[in-house]
Amino acid sequence: QVQLVESGGGLVQAGGSLRLSCAASGGTLSRYVMGWFRQTPGKEREFVATITWSGGIPDYADSVKGRFTISRDNAKYTGYLQMNSLKPEDTAVYYCAAGPSFSVLGSSYDSWGQGTQVTVSS
């Protein structure tokens, strides 16, 4: 399947911005949907955003709509999550995932990155 590597996490002040990257290799990327999920200890894994690799059609969780933007660069085989106006409640480990079709459920994705920590201080 597709192999994924996330990067770009870090520590920022509330109201700041970060851009996460997800580098993909292997598989057939044109057939995949790329999604971003986040998880905090003690909470369920939460859907953040998704985009179709070929058509670039995005979808967002209500909690991040208007603040986060998902995109991809087909030539670089890389997906991105631009996070603006960050809030302390955005603090989590963020995971990049790939799957055969759109879904807000993590179980529907068959490839996952290692995760990158995002911490937003108040």
Side-chain angles (χ1 to χ4, degrees), residues 3-116:
Q3 289 79 52
L4 304 172
V5 179
E6 301 104 328
S7 62
L11 173 64
V12 297
Q13 297 286 324
S17 298
L18 284 173
R19 188 179 75 161
L20 306 183
S21 298
C22 178
S25 62
T28 53
L29 296 178
S30 63
R31 297 175 179 267
Y32 273 77
V33 168
M34 180 172 286
W36 289 92
F37 293 78
R38 63 189 183 186
Q39 189 165 23
T40 300
K43 290 187 175 182
E44 295 288 328
R45 181 174 49 197
E46 179 185 12
F47 168 76
V48 176
T50 188
I51 189 169
T52 59
W53 190 260
S54 180
I57 301 172
D59 196 24
Y60 300 93
D62 288 342
S63 60
V64 306
K65 193 171 297 183
R67 299 188 297 121
F68 291 10
T69 302
I70 188 170
S71 62
R72 84 276 186 266
D73 187 327
N74 291 348
K76 295 182 178 180
Y77 306 103
T78 301
Y80 303 96
L81 184 68
Q82 178 67 46
M83 306 185 294
N84 298 327
S85 301
L86 283 162
K87 305 174 181 179
E89 49 263 48
D90 295 318
T91 296
V93 177
Y94 283 71
Y95 296 92
C96 177
S101 60
F102 169 80
S103 179
V104 300
L105 302 176
S107 60
S108 297
Y109 294 79
D110 50 29
S111 299
W112 291 84
Q114 82 287 351
T116 185

